[in-house]
Amino acid sequence: QQPVQSPQAVILREGEDAVINCSSSKALYSVHWYRQKHGEAPVFLMILLKGGEQKGHEKISASFNEKKQQSSLYLTASQLSYSGTYFCGTASVGSGNTPLVFGKGTRLSVIA
Amino acid sequence: GAGVSQSPSNKVTEKGKDVELRCDPISGHTALYWYRQSLGQGLEFLIYFQGNSAPDKSGLPSDRFSAERTGGSVSTLTIQRTQQEDSAVYLCASSLQANYGYTFGSGTRLTVV
Protein backbone atom coordinates (compact mmCIF):
# COMPACT_ATOMS: atom_id res chain seq x y z
CA GLN A 1 0.00 0.00 0.00
CA GLN A 2 1.32 3.42 -1.00
CA PRO A 3 2.66 5.58 1.87
CA VAL A 4 1.15 9.02 2.29
CA GLN A 5 3.43 12.03 2.21
CA SER A 6 2.68 15.46 3.60
CA PRO A 7 2.78 18.23 2.73
CA GLN A 8 2.39 17.85 -1.04
CA ALA A 9 4.40 21.01 -1.62
CA VAL A 10 6.27 23.58 0.42
CA ILE A 11 8.06 26.83 -0.35
CA LEU A 12 10.90 27.97 1.88
CA ARG A 13 13.24 30.91 2.00
CA GLU A 14 16.93 30.12 2.31
CA GLY A 15 17.81 29.33 5.91
CA GLU A 16 14.35 28.17 6.91
CA ASP A 17 13.57 24.67 8.19
CA ALA A 18 11.08 22.11 6.90
CA VAL A 19 9.66 18.75 7.89
CA ILE A 20 8.30 16.19 5.44
CA ASN A 21 6.24 13.31 6.77
CA CYS A 22 5.67 9.81 5.41
CA SER A 23 2.97 7.59 6.89
CA SER A 24 1.97 4.01 6.22
CA SER A 25 -0.96 1.87 7.26
CA LYS A 26 1.32 -1.17 7.37
CA ALA A 27 3.99 -2.16 9.87
CA LEU A 28 7.22 -0.93 8.34
CA TYR A 29 10.60 -2.61 8.21
CA SER A 30 12.44 0.21 6.49
CA VAL A 31 11.97 3.67 5.07
CA HIS A 32 14.11 5.18 2.33
CA TRP A 33 14.31 8.84 1.39
CA TYR A 34 15.21 10.11 -2.10
CA ARG A 35 15.46 13.53 -3.70
CA GLN A 36 14.73 14.12 -7.37
CA LYS A 37 15.66 17.35 -9.11
CA HIS A 38 13.75 18.38 -12.20
CA GLY A 39 14.67 16.21 -15.18
CA GLU A 40 17.05 14.06 -13.18
CA ALA A 41 17.00 10.64 -11.56
CA PRO A 42 16.07 10.22 -7.89
CA VAL A 43 19.10 10.24 -5.61
CA PHE A 44 19.31 8.16 -2.46
CA LEU A 45 19.54 10.21 0.75
CA MET A 46 19.24 7.70 3.57
CA ILE A 47 17.62 4.54 4.84
CA LEU A 48 16.06 4.00 8.24
CA LEU A 49 15.54 0.52 9.57
CA LYS A 50 13.07 -0.71 12.15
CA GLY A 51 14.45 0.38 15.51
CA GLY A 52 13.80 4.12 15.52
CA GLU A 53 17.38 5.21 14.86
CA GLN A 54 17.75 8.73 13.55
CA LYS A 55 20.02 9.19 10.56
CA GLY A 56 21.77 12.29 9.29
CA HIS A 57 23.12 13.52 5.99
CA GLU A 58 24.65 17.03 5.94
CA LYS A 59 21.86 19.23 7.34
CA ILE A 60 19.22 16.70 6.40
CA SER A 61 18.19 14.12 8.97
CA ALA A 62 15.33 11.71 9.46
CA SER A 63 13.58 9.72 12.14
CA PHE A 64 11.49 6.57 12.07
CA ASN A 65 8.69 6.00 14.55
CA GLU A 66 7.80 2.35 14.12
CA LYS A 67 4.89 2.54 16.55
CA LYS A 68 3.24 5.18 14.41
CA GLN A 69 4.50 3.68 11.13
CA GLN A 70 5.80 7.11 10.28
CA SER A 71 9.02 8.69 9.18
CA SER A 72 9.91 12.35 9.11
CA LEU A 73 12.59 14.09 7.07
CA TYR A 74 14.08 17.22 8.62
CA LEU A 75 15.74 19.88 6.49
CA THR A 76 17.46 22.55 8.54
CA ALA A 77 18.86 25.88 7.37
CA SER A 78 17.69 25.09 3.84
CA GLN A 79 19.84 25.94 0.84
CA LEU A 80 18.85 26.59 -2.76
CA SER A 81 20.32 23.20 -3.64
CA TYR A 82 17.71 21.46 -1.48
CA SER A 83 14.99 22.24 -4.03
CA GLY A 84 13.45 19.18 -5.63
CA THR A 85 10.85 16.52 -5.02
CA TYR A 86 11.36 14.28 -2.02
CA PHE A 87 10.07 10.73 -2.09
CA CYS A 88 9.82 8.22 0.70
CA GLY A 89 9.89 4.53 -0.17
CA THR A 90 8.71 1.91 2.28
CA ALA A 91 9.20 -1.80 2.82
CA SER A 92 6.72 -3.56 5.08
CA VAL A 93 7.41 -6.08 7.83
CA GLY A 94 6.96 -9.59 6.54
CA SER A 95 7.23 -8.52 2.93
CA GLY A 96 10.56 -10.21 2.49
CA ASN A 97 12.66 -8.65 -0.19
CA THR A 98 9.83 -6.95 -2.05
CA PRO A 99 10.67 -3.66 -3.70
CA LEU A 100 9.95 -0.28 -2.22
CA VAL A 101 6.56 1.35 -2.55
CA PHE A 102 7.01 5.08 -3.06
CA GLY A 103 4.83 7.96 -1.93
CA LYS A 104 3.64 10.59 -4.39
CA GLY A 105 6.37 12.98 -3.35
CA THR A 106 6.72 16.38 -1.69
CA ARG A 107 7.82 19.25 -3.91
CA LEU A 108 10.20 21.54 -2.05
CA SER A 109 11.12 24.94 -3.46
CA VAL A 110 13.79 27.02 -1.75
CA ILE A 111 13.91 30.66 -2.79
CA ALA A 112 16.48 33.34 -2.10
CA GLY B 1 30.20 0.72 -14.34
CA ALA B 2 30.20 3.71 -12.05
CA GLY B 3 26.45 4.19 -12.23
CA VAL B 4 23.28 2.71 -13.65
CA SER B 5 23.15 3.22 -17.38
CA GLN B 6 19.92 3.27 -19.39
CA SER B 7 19.41 3.43 -23.12
CA PRO B 8 18.03 5.02 -25.10
CA SER B 9 17.60 8.22 -23.13
CA ASN B 10 14.69 9.23 -25.35
CA LYS B 11 12.44 7.15 -27.56
CA VAL B 12 9.60 8.31 -29.75
CA THR B 13 7.56 5.51 -31.26
CA GLU B 14 4.35 5.10 -33.16
CA LYS B 15 1.35 3.56 -31.50
CA GLY B 16 1.33 -0.18 -32.05
CA LYS B 17 5.09 -0.58 -32.39
CA ASP B 18 7.25 -2.59 -30.00
CA VAL B 19 10.04 -0.99 -27.98
CA GLU B 20 12.97 -2.30 -25.96
CA LEU B 21 14.47 -0.40 -23.07
CA ARG B 22 17.84 -1.38 -21.70
CA CYS B 23 19.32 -1.11 -18.23
CA ASP B 24 22.92 -1.78 -17.28
CA PRO B 25 23.17 -1.86 -13.46
CA ILE B 26 26.15 -1.22 -11.22
CA SER B 27 28.52 -4.16 -11.35
CA GLY B 28 27.89 -6.53 -8.45
CA HIS B 29 24.42 -5.26 -7.66
CA THR B 30 22.21 -8.32 -7.42
CA ALA B 31 18.87 -6.53 -7.19
CA LEU B 32 17.42 -4.63 -10.15
CA TYR B 33 14.13 -2.73 -10.32
CA TRP B 34 12.03 -1.11 -13.02
CA TYR B 35 9.74 1.80 -12.15
CA ARG B 36 7.64 4.11 -14.29
CA GLN B 37 7.10 7.80 -13.68
CA SER B 38 4.42 9.75 -15.49
CA LEU B 39 4.62 13.53 -15.74
CA GLY B 40 4.52 15.05 -12.27
CA GLN B 41 3.67 11.73 -10.69
CA GLY B 42 5.34 9.36 -8.27
CA LEU B 43 7.23 6.17 -8.96
CA GLU B 44 5.12 3.23 -10.06
CA PHE B 45 6.72 -0.19 -9.52
CA LEU B 46 6.86 -2.52 -12.51
CA ILE B 47 9.15 -5.49 -11.85
CA TYR B 48 12.00 -6.61 -9.60
CA PHE B 49 14.89 -8.98 -10.31
CA GLN B 50 17.07 -10.79 -7.84
CA GLY B 51 19.87 -12.19 -9.95
CA ASN B 52 18.23 -13.43 -13.12
CA SER B 53 14.91 -14.35 -11.58
CA ALA B 54 11.93 -12.07 -11.15
CA PRO B 55 10.28 -12.84 -7.81
CA ASP B 56 7.94 -9.89 -8.15
CA LYS B 57 6.41 -8.83 -11.44
CA SER B 58 3.15 -7.71 -9.90
CA GLY B 59 3.48 -4.17 -11.19
CA LEU B 60 3.51 -4.93 -14.90
CA PRO B 61 0.40 -3.17 -16.24
CA SER B 62 -0.54 -5.75 -18.85
CA ASP B 63 0.73 -8.73 -20.79
CA ARG B 64 2.17 -6.30 -23.34
CA PHE B 65 4.95 -5.65 -20.83
CA SER B 66 7.76 -8.13 -20.23
CA ALA B 67 11.29 -8.01 -18.90
CA GLU B 68 14.30 -10.21 -18.62
CA ARG B 69 17.71 -10.09 -17.04
CA THR B 70 20.66 -12.10 -18.23
CA GLY B 71 23.97 -12.95 -16.59
CA GLY B 72 22.81 -11.23 -13.42
CA SER B 73 23.53 -7.96 -15.16
CA VAL B 74 21.80 -6.23 -18.07
CA SER B 75 18.02 -6.08 -18.11
CA THR B 76 15.66 -5.37 -20.97
CA LEU B 77 12.09 -4.11 -20.59
CA THR B 78 9.97 -4.79 -23.66
CA ILE B 79 6.65 -3.13 -24.41
CA GLN B 80 4.68 -4.67 -27.26
CA ARG B 81 2.02 -2.88 -29.28
CA THR B 82 2.66 0.41 -27.51
CA GLN B 83 -0.26 2.61 -26.52
CA GLN B 84 -0.33 6.33 -25.77
CA GLU B 85 -0.86 5.64 -22.08
CA ASP B 86 2.55 3.92 -22.06
CA SER B 87 4.20 7.33 -22.45
CA ALA B 88 6.29 7.97 -19.35
CA VAL B 89 9.83 7.97 -18.03
CA TYR B 90 10.99 4.43 -17.35
CA LEU B 91 13.50 4.29 -14.52
CA CYS B 92 15.79 1.44 -13.67
CA ALA B 93 17.50 1.10 -10.31
CA SER B 94 19.89 -1.37 -8.78
CA SER B 95 21.00 -2.13 -5.25
CA LEU B 96 23.72 -4.26 -3.70
CA GLN B 97 21.07 -6.41 -2.09
CA ALA B 98 17.40 -6.09 -1.40
CA ASN B 99 16.72 -3.53 1.36
CA TYR B 100 19.82 -1.51 0.47
CA GLY B 101 19.67 1.99 -1.01
CA TYR B 102 18.77 2.16 -4.69
CA THR B 103 20.88 3.82 -7.36
CA PHE B 104 18.69 5.03 -10.20
CA GLY B 105 19.59 5.47 -13.83
CA SER B 106 18.70 8.63 -15.71
CA GLY B 107 15.72 6.93 -17.29
CA THR B 108 14.28 6.46 -20.74
CA ARG B 109 11.65 8.98 -21.77
CA LEU B 110 9.16 7.10 -23.93
CA THR B 111 6.71 9.02 -26.06
CA VAL B 112 4.07 7.12 -28.01
CA VAL B 113 2.52 9.15 -30.82
Side-chain angles (χ1 to χ4, degrees), chain B residues 3-60:
Chain B
V4 177
S5 177
Q6 290 188 247
S7 62
S9 55
N10 280 286
K11 177 72 176 180
V12 180
T13 189
E14 291 182 353
K15 178 182 173 181
K17 295 285 179 82
D18 298 350
V19 294
E20 280 191 357
L21 312 180
R22 176 189 167 102
C23 173
D24 199 343
I26 292 175
S27 178
H29 279 196
T30 61
L32 184 147
Y33 313 85
W34 284 97
Y35 286 84
R36 180 168 73 173
Q37 187 172 36
S38 299
L39 188 63
Q41 298 301 307
L43 300 162
E44 176 190 4
F45 168 71
L46 297 177
I47 188 169
Y48 153 58
F49 287 93
Q50 181 62 44
N52 289 337
S53 63
D56 190 346
K57 52 180 78 171
S58 62
L60 294 178

Side-chain angles (χ1 to χ4, degrees), chain A residues 14-62:
Chain A
E14 272 187 293
E16 291 182 337
D17 302 340
V19 180
I20 300 171
N21 296 305
C22 174
S23 298
S24 175
S25 59
K26 290 191 168 184
L28 297 178
Y29 172 76
S30 68
V31 180
H32 296 216
W33 285 97
Y34 293 80
R35 177 172 62 204
Q36 184 178 31
K37 292 185 179 289
H38 184 67
E40 299 180 8
V43 173
F44 173 70
L45 294 176
M46 66 189 77
I47 179 173
L48 299 105
L49 300 177
K50 184 180 176 183
E53 182 181 353
Q54 187 154 341
K55 295 275 189 176
H57 178 79
E58 297 177 346
K59 293 181 181 177
I60 301 174
S61 62

